[in-house]
Amino acid sequence: MERAPIRKGPFPGNIEPNLQDYAKVRAEFSWEAIRGELDGLPDNMGLNMAHEAVDRHATGPRAQKAAMRWLGKDGTVLSLSYCQLMEMSNRFANALRELGVAKGKRVFVLTGRIPPLYITALGTLKHLSVFCPLFSAFGPEPIYQRLARGDAKVLVTTEPLYGQKVAGLRTRLPGLKHILLTDAGDHTGSGVWSLEKLMCAVSPQYTIPPTDPEDMAILHFTSGTTGMPKGAVHVHDAVCTHYMTGKYVLDLHPDDVFWCTADPGWVTGTSYGIIAPLVCGVTSVVDESDFEPERWYRILEAEKVSVLYTAPTAIRRLMRMDMEPRRKVGLDQLRLIHSVGEPLNPEAVLWGQRVLGLPIHDNWWQTETGGIMIANFPSVDIRPGSMGLPVPGIEAAVAHRPDADTLVLIEAPNVQGELVLKVGWPSMFRGYLHEKERYRKCFAGGWYVTGDLVRRDEDGYFWFVGRADDVIKTSGQLVGPFEVERVLMEHPAVVEAAVIGKPHPMFGEVVKGFICLKTGIEPSDALRLEILGFARKRLGAVVAPKELQFHHNLPKNKAGKIMRRLLKAREMGLPEGDTSTLEGRE
Ligand code: ATP
Ligand code: MG
């Protein structure tokens, strides 16, 4: 059952969107024109992400503007201007030079969301080393895996994290030469340095070396939702996508205060938590703390956040609270909310409209795509439950892949198939590190095959069906998990749902659902039957879940994604596979 579209305009705050006419912008779009809106290094010395993010603003009228507003766990608030961010990242680049860290070498960061993370990222990009962010909540093994596979040369971390998680790994990591501690007063030898001392000893001036747009810039591991995380390689040219999507999708305007709630350990927190807002020259809010609804509402009000970019998990947790935020906090300045990472159920889009006064704009992308590829735009009507339309410069299609080298595009609307993207956008990953063959297999006939199943309706809107790995085969029919999950989430008692295919001797698989209930609602057999009946009425007997299990929390990884493969392994009594990215709370 599809919901009525949400019609757009007039726009909150009367701010006209950057993209007003989707068809026109798409038709006239060229990446060259986008490059032209960026600065480029002086004297045609190439394109460097950090120059576009910081230096070009720091040497212009935005020099004293707050680039970043950092909100510490203990209540500290730190504003860094574009000029300060330039000087600090210059110092970090100089520190790398002093240590003899060369172009292309990997600089990992394991710190939590504190200012040195952001300074390190930008300084690393300036020095043409490669920025590799990690979640600070990772345990020693996932840290080891990534440092080893990523050929870490430098690690920026804190004293406690080093002591608890890294010191014991060093003998297994002979290539890891330098540990830079953000909170140490002094160098302690064995390649363990005080970051502050190193940075104080070098100049705040740094000239970015000539940068080929194809130079490696970022190594980002995928979230590990479907298996072992892959190391996706990105280049400096990706900044064109960051800028373009910041402008047209996030709709950043000069006076915006933007808050991307993601941790840089997840690609959203890097592309949109660090690079895009700076490239667009706005003020970016960074909160050190983890999700907490009351705190979030307070930040939105106190920081006057105008554009929020978050994830379905967080939105559903706010929904679960059933608060009336507009009565308690001033959200007048908030004009846009975006979401990414998981399918956003129509209920959540409409909840935004009802409770926050703004619909939630879903968009789709992956670590591999480096930036937003399909989106709901501020000026385009929203079809709740749809991921939206391809962004300018991106050709998206639905396809079958009968064999590894063949791709057959599906022209007819509303047919399920794999989402594919025409090769050649700037932020496309340039490899899976050390996995050439795996990378090659992602491409066929000039298209990148995403591994996600979708359908496209007659007006070109894309609808997420499920990951190809998660699709359920029951009674000869292919069932996309999201189709079932969104219906379960329409039941007033259900706030979150995941479904899997459970092997069955007669039907191949049957659909099994796992659900979380709204705060205050108790699980019972009667409620289970009611929800099963509710789903059957809407989905029909074949597609509807046959079994339903209540969960307090569904297993999620650190990017907040539900790990269906884990639910399935547990259901079948099989080994759980790589659980290194699993969130602690379950
Ligand atoms: P791994 O590749 O290691 O299994 P992952 O795919 O979860 O992990 P990411 O690159 O962080 O790693 O996530 C991208 C995936 O998240 C997409 O391929 C898609 O399955 C899902 N996703 C992202 N945004 C959306 C969205 N708006 N709607 C539905 N699914 C989404
Ligand atoms: Mg993936």
Side-chain angles (χ1 to χ4, degrees):
M1 189 183 50
E2 262 169 44
R3 303 308 187 101
I6 299 175
R7 304 265 173 230
K8 287 309 188 64
F11 302 103
N14 285 327
I15 295 174
E16 290 295 320
N18 291 325
L19 180 148
Q20 299 201 11
D21 183 339
Y22 173 76
K24 185 162 180 277
V25 171
R26 245 184 105 73
E28 293 172 357
F29 184 85
S30 81
W31 287 111
E32 272 323 300
I34 289 294
R35 276 188 195 96
E37 290 179 35
L38 294 173
D39 206 12
L41 287 175
D43 306 322
N44 283 327
M45 287 299 177
L47 183 70
N48 183 290
M49 227 180 237
H51 172 84
E52 301 305 329
V54 178
D55 292 12
R56 75 171 174 134
H57 302 307
T59 49
R62 292 194 176 111
Q64 302 310 324
K65 175 178 176 163
M68 200 178 123
R69 293 264 303 162
W70 177 74
L71 315 176
K73 278 184 185 163
D74 62 0
T76 316
V77 177
L78 180 70
S79 270
L80 287 175
S81 67
Y82 277 94
C83 190
Q84 287 169 316
L85 208 48
M86 174 174 77
E87 289 189 2
M88 287 171 160
S89 52
N90 282 349
R91 284 182 187 274
F92 187 80
N94 278 321
L96 288 181
R97 179 155 50 200
E98 286 295 305
L99 293 173
V101 178
K103 177 175 172 176
K105 295 292 177 201
R106 261 69 97 178
V107 177
F108 277 74
V109 185
L110 176 81
T111 58
R113 290 181 297 278
I114 55 174
L117 161 62
Y118 299 82
I119 291 159
T120 298
L122 295 160
T124 300
L125 293 168
K126 287 184 172 181
H127 192 59
L128 305 193
S129 306
V130 178
F131 173 61
C132 319
L134 298 175
F135 275 108
S136 60
F138 278 151
E141 199 47 37
I143 292 172
Y144 168 74
Q145 285 292 336
R146 287 163 180 76
L147 294 176
R149 285 167 57 202
D151 312 309
K153 171 97 175 179
V154 178
L155 174 68
V156 178
T157 187
T158 64
E159 246 173 342
L161 287 169
Y162 180 64
Q164 290 157 21
K165 303 185 182 187
V166 184
L169 303 171
R170 286 208 57 197
T171 48
R172 292 160 73 197
L173 294 165
L176 179 58
K177 297 289 185 222
H178 305 290
I179 308 286
L180 314 187
L181 299 179
T182 60
D183 48 357
D186 220 332
H187 311 318
T188 55
S190 314
V192 180
W193 307 90
S194 153
L195 177 63
E196 198 183 334
K197 214 168 162 189
L198 280 179
M199 286 186 38
C200 283
V202 292
S203 157
Q205 318 279 327
Y206 182 87
T207 305
I208 298 178
T211 310
D212 185 327
E214 288 300 309
D215 280 338
M216 187 168 164
I218 297 172
L219 171 67
H220 219 299
F221 286 90
T222 60
S223 303
T225 313
T226 54
M228 200 66 179
K230 298 146 273 185
V233 172
H234 288 284
V235 298
H236 281 269
D237 206 28
V239 71
C240 297
T241 312
H242 300 146
Y243 169 69
M244 185 278 286
T245 50
K247 176 178 173 180
Y248 287 140
V249 181
L250 304 176
D251 192 43
L252 297 176
H253 285 62
D255 291 334
D256 273 321
V257 177
F258 173 69
W259 183 20
C260 169
T261 61
D263 189 276
W266 174 30
V267 70
T268 303
T270 299
S271 293
Y272 297 98
I274 307 179
I275 309 295
L278 297 178
V279 176
C280 292
V282 303
T283 299
S284 181
V285 171
V286 172
D287 182 26
E288 187 191 7
S289 292
D290 289 332
F291 179 81
E292 200 269 299
E294 302 270 359
R295 181 180 169 89
W296 271 32
Y297 284 130
R298 264 202 321 275
I299 291 174
L300 289 172
E301 178 176 34
E303 293 300 319
K304 299 192 167 36
V305 172
S306 55
V307 182
L308 175 69
Y309 194 15
T310 188
T313 326
I315 292 165
R316 287 196 286 261
R317 279 186 63 193
L318 293 177
M319 289 169 73
R320 206 170 179 173
M321 301 289 298
D322 238 352
M323 282 169 66
E324 287 273 344
R326 275 204 291 177
R327 287 220 197 114
K328 294 189 189 159
V329 284
L331 298 176
D332 292 348
Q333 69 298 325
L334 188 62
R335 63 180 189 88
L336 268 171
I337 308 176
H338 304 277
S339 163
V340 71
E342 286 224 298
L344 189 69
N345 50 312
E347 290 309 301
V349 178
L350 298 168
W351 172 86
Q353 178 92 319
R354 201 174 59 245
V355 176
L356 302 176
L358 300 166
I360 318 275
H361 293 74
D362 186 21
N363 58 62
W364 177 96
W365 59 291
Q366 306 178 307
T367 310
E368 290 85 341
T369 70
I372 301 169
M373 298 282 110
I374 296 182
N376 284 284
F377 296 85
S379 59
V380 179
D381 293 349
I382 295 179
R383 299 192 174 172
S386 160
M387 332 195 277
L389 303 165
V391 302
I394 295 299
E395 205 178 322
V398 188
H400 281 312
R401 196 180 190 181
D403 61 63
D405 299 319
T406 322
L407 205 71
V408 183
L409 297 187
I410 303 170
E411 301 297 343
N414 294 314
V415 179
Q416 229 167 269
E418 274 209 62
L419 173 60
V420 296
L421 304 170
K422 190 74 168 276
V423 166
W425 69 96
S427 65
M428 189 182 88
F429 70 137
R430 301 297 199 270
Y432 283 133
L433 197 71
H434 305 315
E435 296 189 276
K436 257 202 167 123
E437 189 50 21
R438 190 173 203 175
Y439 182 66
R440 198 189 60 77
K441 283 185 181 158
C442 295
F443 299 90
W447 295 83
Y448 163 61
V449 185
T450 63
D452 283 343
L453 295 179
V454 297
R455 68 181 175 82
R456 184 178 43 188
D457 69 19
E458 36 294 293
D459 298 313
Y461 282 73
F462 282 79
W463 299 76
F464 187 77
V465 171
R467 291 165 183 264
D469 286 3
D470 290 337
V471 102
I472 301 163
K473 298 174 195 78
T474 180
S475 304
Q477 198 168 322
L478 288 182
V479 177
F482 183 47
E483 181 188 359
V484 183
E485 289 162 5
R486 57 186 269 184
V487 166
L488 288 172
M489 285 185 274
E490 273 170 29
H491 188 282
V494 180
V495 77
E496 195 155 56
V499 306
I500 61 159
K502 181 177 171 181
H504 187 278
M506 197 141 71
F507 303 120
E509 288 182 311
V510 291
V511 180
K512 170 157 185 175
F514 300 81
I515 52 173
C516 294
L517 298 176
K518 262 204 185 140
T519 309
I521 299 180
E522 288 302 316
S524 68
D525 283 341
L527 183 58
R528 188 198 326 273
L529 287 175
E530 185 194 310
I531 297 170
L532 282 171
F534 174 88
R536 195 167 319 117
K537 219 183 273 167
R538 283 162 178 74
L539 292 163
V542 175
V543 176
K546 299 266 185 301
E547 289 180 36
L548 205 57
Q549 192 171 312
F550 296 111
H551 263 241
H552 185 59
N553 273 315
L554 296 171
K556 298 202 183 89
N557 60 27
K558 295 195 166 49
K561 295 164 193 264
I562 298 172
M563 290 173 89
R564 292 173 188 76
R565 71 173 162 90
L566 210 63
L567 289 169
K568 188 158 179 168
R570 286 174 183 174
E571 188 65 30
M572 295 167 66
L574 294 172
E576 294 193 350
D578 180 59
T579 51
S580 63
T581 60
L582 188 66
E583 254 267 317
R585 289 170 287 106
E586 217 187 297

